[in-house]
Every structure is written in C-alpha cells, then in structure tokens.
Amino acid sequence: MRLRWRRALPVPDPRTPWREAEFCVIDLETTGLDLRRDEVVSYGAAIVRHARIPCGEVVYRQLRPSRPISIGAMTVHGLRAADLAGAARIDEALDELVGLLAGRVPVAHAAWVERAFLDRALARHGRRLHRVMVDTAALLRATRLDGGQGGREPGLEAAARRLRLPVHTPHHALGDAFTTAQLLLALATRMERGRPARAVTVADLYAVSRHHHGPTAER
Amino acid sequence: MKEFADFLGEQPPFDALDADDMARLVAHVEVEYFAAGATVAPEDQPMTHLWVVRTGALEVVDHGRVVDLLEAGDTYGHVWLLSGLPPPVRVRAHEESLCLRIPDPRTFLAHPDRLRYAAVRPAAGPPRFVAGPGRADLPLARLARPIVWCEATDPVRDVARRIGAAGLSCALVYDGTALGIVTDLDFRREVATGRVAVDDPISALATVPALTIDQDATQAAGLLRMVEHGVHHLVVVGQSGAPTGVVRAVDLAQADVRDPLLIRSAIDDATDVDELAEACRLLPTALVELCDNGVAAAHIGAIHAAVVDAVVRRVLRLRHSPALDAIRHSWVLLGSLARREPLPMSDVDTALVWADPPAGDPADAIRAAAWEVLNDLRRCGFALCANGANAHNPLFGRSRSQWIDAAWGWQRDPTQENALLLTAMVADSRPLTDPELGRALTENIRSHTRSGGFLRAVLDEAVGWRPPTGFVRDFVVQHSGEHRGQVDLKAGGLAPIVALARWIAIASGDASGTTVERLRRGTALGLLSTDETDTLAGGFDGIYGLLLHRQVEAIRGGQAPSTYVTPGELDTLTRRHLRETFRAVALVQARVDRGGLHRLPDRER
C-alpha cells in the first residue's frame, strides 16, 4: 500500500557555511542487504557542530528485528538475535532518530544504504529524510582520495587510514559513525583549500555528494 | 569511544585516571581537524581548553619562528591553562592534524588530583602546579603558644615557677624599651651554674632583643630563621609588631624537620674541627628529611645555606690566625650559596677582602691563612670551588682597593680575559663577616656609572647559556663523552635563568637576593614583564626542585649526585614539562636579547 505524502525532516539552510551548520552522521547495521526487506539492528550517531565532534553527544542503540539476521550480516557486525532479545523495536526508537536528524544535515558513508533503511523506517511516522544527504564516500571520490577503486564504494576503514585518521571500532554502528564524522571534517577541510575566497557551504557538500555518487546508487 | 579512552589512558596527564574519570574525560572531548597552517591556539589569548594531538603534528610559533613541534600524544596548553596566563606563542597545524579539545579537566573529574601534572616526584607533597601549601607551610600564627609575661625586676625564681606552671619553656620580658626572652636554656646555663642567683632580677638572664617573626610567616620560614640564628624560640608578632605568641622548635611540625636545628646546635657547640666535621656529616641526611617532609625546594636551599654559613663562621672562630687577626677582613660567599640556593653537592665558593694595609703587603700571609681556613672546610666535607673561586687564590683574595680597581677594569674593558666571568662571580656574593668591608666586591656595581657596552657584554654572556631546545622529540642532548645522551639541568636549565637574574642584579646595581627575588626586582624596574618573570621564576623553581629531588634521591641511594639527567629516565610528563620550560625560557631570552637594553633607564643604555 502506498502511503500518503511524507514530510521531509527539516535541514539547515543549504547556504550555511559548513563550519556553522550542524550535522548528524549516522551509521546502521542491518539484518542483511535487501533494502526492501532487511531491518536495522543497531544505529550509531555523532553530531558535528562548529566543525567539532563532541564525544559526549554520541548515540548508540541496538534494535530487535522482526526477521532473522543473515549469516553474512552477523559475521560483519557480530550481533546475534539472542543479543538483541531485550532491545527495543525500531518503532520505539523513531522519536530518538527524528530528534537526532531534524534540523541537521544527514551524513553517512555510502549514504544510499542508510537512506533506504531510514526512509523505510521513518515512513511509518509519515516522515522521510531530506532529499539529499552528504555522502563521505562521494566526497572521497571527488577529492580523489577513494583509493582508485573505480566502481566499488571506497571502504571506510581504508579511507580513514589513508587520511591518517584514527579508526574507531569497525563494523560497529557507533564506531563507523564516528570514523565517518572524522572523515567529514577532514574532507570538508580539504575542500576549503582550493577556495579561500568563499566558504564551503552545505550546498557544496550536497552537490559533490550528488555528482560523485557511487555506481550502486544509479538506478 | 574506546579509541580515545585507550589513547588518552596512555598519555600523561591522564594516565592515572580511573575508569569513571576516563569516561568523564572522553565525554568532554571534542574532535577538531586542522588543515596545514591553520591556527589551533592563538597567542596572547587566555586558554580555555587543552589540546591533545591525536594524529598529525602542531607547530609552536614565536614571532614567526617555529620553536617546537608537538606530535601525536603531546598535550598543549596545560601550563597556560593552570597558570591562567595567556600563552605568548601561537600554535598552528604543521600538517593536516586531528586534535582533541578538552576543557579544564579539573572542573569535571571526580579525582583531579590524579592528573599527573607533577614535574617532580609525585610522592613528595601535592603536584607542583595544582599545589596548595605543603605540610611544612602552615602559618606560624596557628602554631604559636601563649606568652608568659614578666617584669624586668621579677625574681628569677618567680619567673621559673610561672613558666613551669604554664607548661611552657620561655617567658618574655619587657623593660619599657626592648623585648627580651628567657628560655629553659638560660636557666640551665646561668642559674644552675650559679652565675645568676635565683633571687636576682630576671633581666640578668634575658636575651635582648628577642628574635621575632611575623605571624603570617610559614613554618618553614620560622625554621629557617631559627637555623640562621641558632635559636630554639621565636616571638611571633602581629601586624602592629606586638607579640602574639611564642613558637618553639618542637612546635615546628615533624621531629625530623627539626634536624637542621640539631645540626646548627652541634655546629655551635663544636670545640674543634673534628667535632665540627662530625656535625657536618649530618647535613645530607637533614636535606633528605626536609625533602621527605614536603618542604619546598627553595626553603631547603635557604636552610642549607644557613647551615653552611654557620659552619664557615664556626671554622673562623676555631682557627685563629695572626695574619687575619692583624687586619680587618671580610669573608664573602660566592655562587649559589651566596644566592641562598645551593644544591646538595654545591661547592663552597669564597672570596676574601681585607682593609688596605697602612704599610707593607700582608697579602701572602693572609692568603696562606685563608688556605688554612679552606682546608678546615674541606675537612668538614665541603668541596672547594673547582674553578678556583677560593679565598686564597690571588684572583679572589684582594685588598679593598685592589677589588675596586679590578672591578673598574672589568667594566672599562669587558673584553679583557675573564672580565665577564669574574664580574658574574662577584655579582653573586654575600659577605659573611664584616659585611661593610665585604661589600667592596659589589660596591662598584652600585656606585659607578655603567656603560652600555659593559651591560651589553654582560647580557650577551647571560643569553649565551642556551636551554636545550630543538626540533627533536626530546632534548638536545650531549652527543659525546661521559654524558652522552644526557641533559645537564644545571648548565641548560638553571644557568640561563640564573644568568638573566644576575644581569638584572648588575644592571640594577643591587647584588642581593635569590634568583627569583632578582627576577621580581627586574619586573619592578621594568626590565622584565610580569609574564616573563613568572615564566623564568616558575622555570627556576621547577628545575631547581627537580634537581634537588634527584640529588636527594642519589644521596639516599648512596650514589654521587649529578646535575645530568637521561631524558628517558624521566616520566613522560616531567620530560614534557621540562621541554616546555626550556622553550619558554628560550623565548624570554630571545626577547630580552632583542630589547633588553632598551628597557634600561635612559642614562644607562
């Protein structure tokens, strides 16, 4: 059944210089990679404010899915159904997710995955994400720091190491969200290099994210 | 945020925090990324946060000159944050760098005392830079005991009874003009021996004037005054100068802190050089105990100097020499003992001034007699100056007019051999006997016009002592020889500060005081800014304290103390703190070198 028109979550004015805007960097772990059927088992979020990541404001939540976790997904994130037996359903976490994302620029690494899962979850509240997200994988491609992997999405861990950034617990939603947030700081700072006259704005980050999206997102 | 917790947990000052405090710390961290060249912390603005380099490197820049490089794990700003002073340098990213920004951790930790800011051994009292008063630093007002007053005409017998009834050991006598004191010792020495009768008036027994001390003075200051004067009682006076109580040696904290007084008594009671040598053997132990009791390094130095003063005076009293008895003369201490800041193994440097003889030249006989005195000092375990600053050396033993002529010569032509070195040595002098005559050494500093060329030459000599700063992670160390891989804390740490303070002494015409006192005087005269003085004085206290504690540790372990340290043996924080101190001292040096002469009053440029 098709739902009614869904309201996009509010975002800052795209003309805002990135150093003045707030971002919510989010990462999900799921039961599998089927964008239509699989479900979120955990999410982690880091806020970027004044171009800084406050460690005191990070969020990590585990969720109890209604379908089994695929073996493939389990070997990546290590979460089993038994670990999540006491966790909340995603419906119960939607208010928190909306609170995290509303008024902030959404950011993820290979953002199309996060967009698909989040939009499906938010739909039950009659909400959706903003039309565009900032995608650190696209920023890597635009700055030619993707390691020349051609069609594949540049790996988060490898990219962080190439930029000499610390890697937080990989394949853990919060660890990856935090590493992604650092990537955002480093890449946006690098984008400022070429243009001392004008500040890099949120719109610039959106534009790069759209023009350098990964092959999988072209549908 | 395990990554940051693990990382910070390995770095001082955070490496001693417990898990709860570490969680609090990490929750306060903000992560910021800097492009190469971007400013991380501007100069001259008060700091509100610490910076820890996570990846990349930061440069410390002074007047456009890069003076240091901070790498992953290095913390910047704790000195400025703790002191509340704005940093005089700018910090910028040397390359793309990820940094952790942390607000003052003392404001949110449950156990801020576990922050390892200590530059000296953490066991000795509170950390130096978050320090409150040490155990030996209570004001005397809190230790003073009540006073037993008596009239000058009261019979000895009555006074003795009243002292006993009050459970005290002394009484004060006021005869209308001066304050006197009578102590147990007087009763034992004078009454018990029958020299004073029990019915005589107490004034026959009293010592006038009684030695007083301000009630706001600390315990350690009280102890120092007792050691200096060889007494066991002090009258504590209020602001008006009126006595408010009496403090006794036994009231001054722990029994072992009284040790220097026991030595002082033993020195005064020595009837020959052997007994004196016996007493002097207690000195190193006393220094160890003072250290253990948390007495501040500066006070230990002052007490040490007071004990040496007493020893030299005792030697002079024990050894009569016809040559010296025949002429008015003054023994003068030089060097660190003159400044009252010796290290446990400091040499005893001396000079001798004698009145201009009416006829003949007694110099040879006087110098021979001086050598006898110095020999006695050696027998007491003191090393004489290895560089020849000894009273029997013709360079350091002269008649009054010879001294004045020599000093004149050094000023007129600072390029002549050793002129600057001798000027420096003479500027650190403190007459021990006949001070009026002894001041001949420094009189010229006061009374003669100093030429700009001379002061410039003295300043060049002073800034020639370079702190070991450099680009390497640790220090510029000795590259060869016996001390390969070590830093000389005396030559590299203390000497640059001592030399600048000495320059101030010479420029201001006042040779008195410790290094820190001279620096403060420099601020009062406009030769140094308050920040510069605080930097230098803090650096001196820190390095002097570190050296003192290390030498005390060596004494305790039965090893020969040295002024060299191997950077790797210091804990990370002490090493970093030293490096920051060296850097700050080098900055002040550079500034004074550039503009120091312009800070002098016009007539002296």
Side-chain angles (χ1 to χ4, degrees), chain B residues 145-168:
Chain B
R145 304 171 71 85
I147 299 171
V148 172
W149 282 104
C150 54
E151 302 285 332
T153 51
D154 289 348
V156 166
R157 178 201 307 272
D158 286 1
V159 176
R161 202 168 41 232
R162 280 159 58 200
I163 292 174
L168 297 173

Side-chain angles (χ1 to χ4, degrees), chain A residues 98-183:
Chain A
V98 170
L100 282 167
L101 289 160
R104 296 188 171 123
V105 179
V107 186
H109 189 76
W112 55 274
V113 179
E114 270 69 20
R115 163 178 292 287
F117 280 98
L118 286 173
D119 268 346
R120 191 146 54 83
L122 290 168
R124 300 182 208 179
H125 260 214
R127 307 301 297 261
R128 62 177 172 82
L129 284 173
H130 179 63
R131 177 169 51 82
V132 272
M133 278 179 85
V134 172
D135 185 345
T136 47
L139 299 186
L140 281 169
R141 266 185 229 102
T143 45
R144 304 194 182 282
L145 287 164
D146 57 346
Q149 296 187 338
R152 303 218 325 271
E153 287 288 7
L156 179 62
E157 207 181 321
R161 291 197 197 287
R162 244 188 331 272
L163 285 166
R164 300 215 296 138
L165 297 170
V167 174
H168 299 264
T169 324
H171 305 302
H172 177 281
L174 180 56
D176 282 350
F178 208 94
T179 307
T180 305
Q182 294 176 165
L183 216 51

Side-chain angles (χ1 to χ4, degrees), chain B residues 557-573:
Chain B
Q559 296 154 339
S562 146
T563 60
Y564 284 86
V565 298
T566 306
E569 285 173 6
L570 299 171
D571 68 82
T572 317
L573 189 68

Side-chain angles (χ1 to χ4, degrees), chain B residues 56-75:
Chain B
L58 304 181
E59 296 171 338
V60 181
V61 187
D62 176 51
H63 287 85
R65 198 167 59 96
V66 177
V67 292
D68 200 13
L69 199 66
L70 308 172
E71 296 173 324
D74 283 344
T75 299

Side-chain angles (χ1 to χ4, degrees), chain B residues 131-149:
Chain B
R135 263 158 64 204
D137 282 343
L138 285 174
L140 289 176
R142 291 179 47 187
L143 298 163
R145 304 171 71 85
I147 299 171
V148 172
W149 282 104

Side-chain angles (χ1 to χ4, degrees), chain B residues 5 97 172 222 279 350 543-544 556 558 563 572:
Chain B
S97 303
L172 299 188
T350 49
I543 298 169
Y544 181 73
R556 198 197 306 274
T563 60
T572 317

Side-chain angles (χ1 to χ4, degrees), chain A:
Chain A
M1 189 184 71
R2 200 67 210 163
L3 284 172
R4 283 173 300 150
W5 176 76
R6 290 175 289 146
R7 231 161 11 105
L9 294 174
V11 290
D13 184 334
R15 289 168 297 184
T16 314
W18 84 274
R19 288 184 178 272
E20 292 165 27
E22 280 199 27
F23 299 79
C24 174
V25 186
I26 196 152
D27 186 81
L28 310 174
E29 301 299 330
T30 60
T31 55
L33 281 173
D34 184 330
L35 301 189
R36 279 162 305 172
R37 291 194 191 81
D38 274 311
E39 291 176 25
V40 180
V41 295
S42 69
Y43 61 85
I47 306 303
V48 174
R49 184 185 302 120
H50 302 309
R52 297 188 189 116
I53 317 167
C55 293
E57 296 184 40
V58 296
V59 173
Y60 174 69
R61 186 91 42 219
Q62 295 185 344
L63 299 171
R64 178 158 48 96
S66 57
R67 51 184 280 127
I69 303 169
S70 73
I71 302 295
M74 210 186 308
T75 53
V76 172
H77 54 62
L79 291 172
R80 301 163 302 156
D83 301 324
L84 305 171
R89 293 275 183 194
I90 189 153
D91 291 358
E92 300 167 74
L94 278 178
D95 283 346
E96 181 178 66
L97 274 169
V98 170
L100 282 167
L101 289 160
R104 296 188 171 123
V105 179
V107 186
H109 189 76
W112 55 274
V113 179
E114 270 69 20
R115 163 178 292 287
F117 280 98
L118 286 173
D119 268 346
R120 191 146 54 83
L122 290 168
R124 300 182 208 179
H125 260 214
R127 307 301 297 261
R128 62 177 172 82
L129 284 173
H130 179 63
R131 177 169 51 82
V132 272
M133 278 179 85
V134 172
D135 185 345
T136 47
L139 299 186
L140 281 169
R141 266 185 229 102
T143 45
R144 304 194 182 282
L145 287 164
D146 57 346
Q149 296 187 338
R152 303 218 325 271
E153 287 288 7
L156 179 62
E157 207 181 321
R161 291 197 197 287
R162 244 188 331 272
L163 285 166
R164 300 215 296 138
L165 297 170
V167 174
H168 299 264
T169 324
H171 305 302
H172 177 281
L174 180 56
D176 282 350
F178 208 94
T179 307
T180 305
Q182 294 176 165
L183 216 51
L184 172 71
L185 296 189
L187 294 170
T189 302
R190 276 162 190 256
M191 280 173 63
E192 290 173 329
R193 217 189 259 164
R195 49 172 100 185
R198 193 175 71 80
V200 172
T201 62
V202 171
D204 293 329
L205 297 176
Y206 284 150
V208 172
S209 299
R210 259 201 311 269
H211 289 128
H212 296 269
H213 56 61
T216 331
E218 294 174 34
R219 274 166 290 171

